[in-house]
Amino acid sequence: MVNNSAKTDVQLQFGNNAANYVTSTVHAKGEDLAKLVKLLHWNGEETVLDIATGGGHVANALAPLSKKITAIDLTKEILAASKKFIESNGHSNVEFLEADAENLPFPAETFDIAVCRIAAHHFADIESFVREAFRALKKGGIFLFIDNTAPEDDEFDEFYNRIEKKRDYSHQRAWKKSEWVRLIEQQGFELEEMHCLKKSFSFDNWCNTMALPEAEKQQLAKEMLQAPAHYQQKFKITQKAGKVNSFQGESVLIKAAKPIQ
């Protein structure tokens, strides 16, 4: 079932905060982005689909390495911001298109590579997203996937997703690593590599990226500081002058292939 409310939330949040995602250090310079680039031996002839391009950091990194990139996003404002960013870096082989990750407007077997980075936790229908990525890839094509993940423990999973939702109402759910592996294989992909990456978040930057109002920011900080000790240990919550300073999360990088036969 199409969740139009969830899609509207995403468009509002990212439309209002498009410029923040272009300049976000976590998105622009994450360890995961460098590792993603190195996972393939690029020959310059690849056609790439960048799903939910956001600030355009994946497309910007892959543009010098590939033939053509089609960067899609649900939000026109963020597409405009990413287009400005990428073209200012001298790249002319990136096409920008407003489109839904869960219903891709492309024929089957169009792309050599499909990439989705730090976006899927905003998607309402994860199964449709993975199924569409599989369909759009040529046989032998590669799916490169990155997203923030929740811990395997249900208690920590609930806590992490709760604070993410309070920070950003368009957040749907960060999945566990095991859930991603299961779904990707169920949709027909063959898993080739998986990397788990620790992510350190500055609390202020994390909140400010989504322009969280100060009162809500203080309430969220209070909830994190009052969390049980084993929660604070798990997420490495630090404080400074009685305020949340930082915390740690995790992301997963998966490389999977669409079988040739």
Side-chain angles (χ1 to χ4, degrees):
M1 180 181 295
V2 176
N3 189 333
N4 290 320
S5 175
K7 295 182 192 301
T8 300
D9 285 347
V10 168
Q11 289 171 320
L12 287 172
Q13 276 286 63
F14 285 86
N16 291 333
N17 299 289
N20 292 344
Y21 269 82
V22 173
T23 58
S24 168
T25 301
V26 171
H27 294 80
K29 298 180 180 179
E31 175 191 358
D32 60 314
L33 182 57
K35 189 175 287 290
L36 180 150
V37 171
K38 294 177 181 178
L39 278 183
L40 295 178
H41 298 290
W42 302 88
N43 61 27
E45 295 300 315
E46 294 87 358
T47 55
V48 181
L49 174 62
D50 180 16
I51 302 171
T53 190
H57 304 107
V58 168
N60 184 67
L62 299 185
L65 305 174
S66 53
K67 181 178 181 180
K68 181 183 178 182
I69 298 175
T70 302
I72 70 164
D73 205 279
L74 194 63
T75 308
K76 62 182 180 181
E77 292 88 351
I78 208 162
L79 277 173
S82 61
K83 184 175 190 291
K84 181 180 178 181
F85 164 63
I86 290 170
E87 292 183 351
S88 73
N89 290 322
H91 305 311
S92 59
N93 60 336
V94 182
E95 175 187 18
F96 300 87
L97 181 67
E98 187 176 339
D100 187 348
E102 299 163 13
N103 186 23
L104 298 175
F106 309 108
E109 301 184 10
T110 298
F111 300 96
D112 299 306
I113 299 163
V115 186
C116 183
R117 175 178 180 255
I118 320 180
H121 55 276
H122 293 286
F123 299 165
D125 187 348
I126 294 294
E127 289 189 12
S128 291
F129 150 61
V130 178
R131 183 166 56 249
E132 280 290 272
F134 185 89
R135 183 186 66 79
L137 279 170
K138 298 175 184 177
K139 292 178 180 177
I142 298 295
F143 180 42
L144 298 174
F145 172 80
I146 299 172
D147 201 18
N148 301 332
T149 53
E152 295 295 314
D153 181 272
D154 290 341
E155 186 180 8
F156 292 142
D157 172 0
E158 190 278 333
F159 175 78
Y160 177 69
N161 275 291
R162 186 172 73 249
I163 64 171
E164 279 281 12
K165 187 73 173 179
K166 289 186 176 182
R167 197 263 312 204
D168 172 14
Y169 63 81
S170 72
H171 175 87
Q172 292 296 304
R173 180 169 179 257
W175 279 30
K176 300 174 181 179
K177 296 182 292 293
S178 58
E179 292 175 315
W180 278 116
V181 170
R182 180 179 178 84
L183 177 61
I184 287 171
E185 290 192 345
Q186 282 180 332
Q187 294 302 321
F189 284 107
E190 294 179 347
L191 189 68
E192 293 193 346
E193 293 186 41
M194 184 173 79
H195 304 267
C196 301
L197 305 168
K198 300 298 182 184
K199 296 182 69 172
S200 181
F201 295 93
S202 160
F203 181 76
D204 284 341
N205 291 343
W206 180 66
C207 292
N208 294 342
T209 298
M210 300 313 288
L212 190 68
E214 185 61 29
E216 294 178 33
K217 181 178 175 181
Q218 291 181 10
Q219 182 58 40
L220 181 53
K222 181 179 178 181
E223 180 173 343
M224 293 175 72
L225 291 175
Q226 292 180 348
H230 64 293
Y231 283 56
Q232 298 199 36
Q233 182 178 7
K234 171 64 179 177
F235 294 101
K236 294 182 171 54
I237 298 171
T238 67
Q239 56 180 297
K240 186 176 182 179
K243 298 180 180 180
V244 177
N245 183 52
S246 67
F247 69 96
Q248 188 178 88
E250 187 178 52
S251 66
V252 66
L253 166 55
I254 292 174
K255 176 185 176 185
K258 181 173 180 176
I260 296 176
Q261 295 182 344

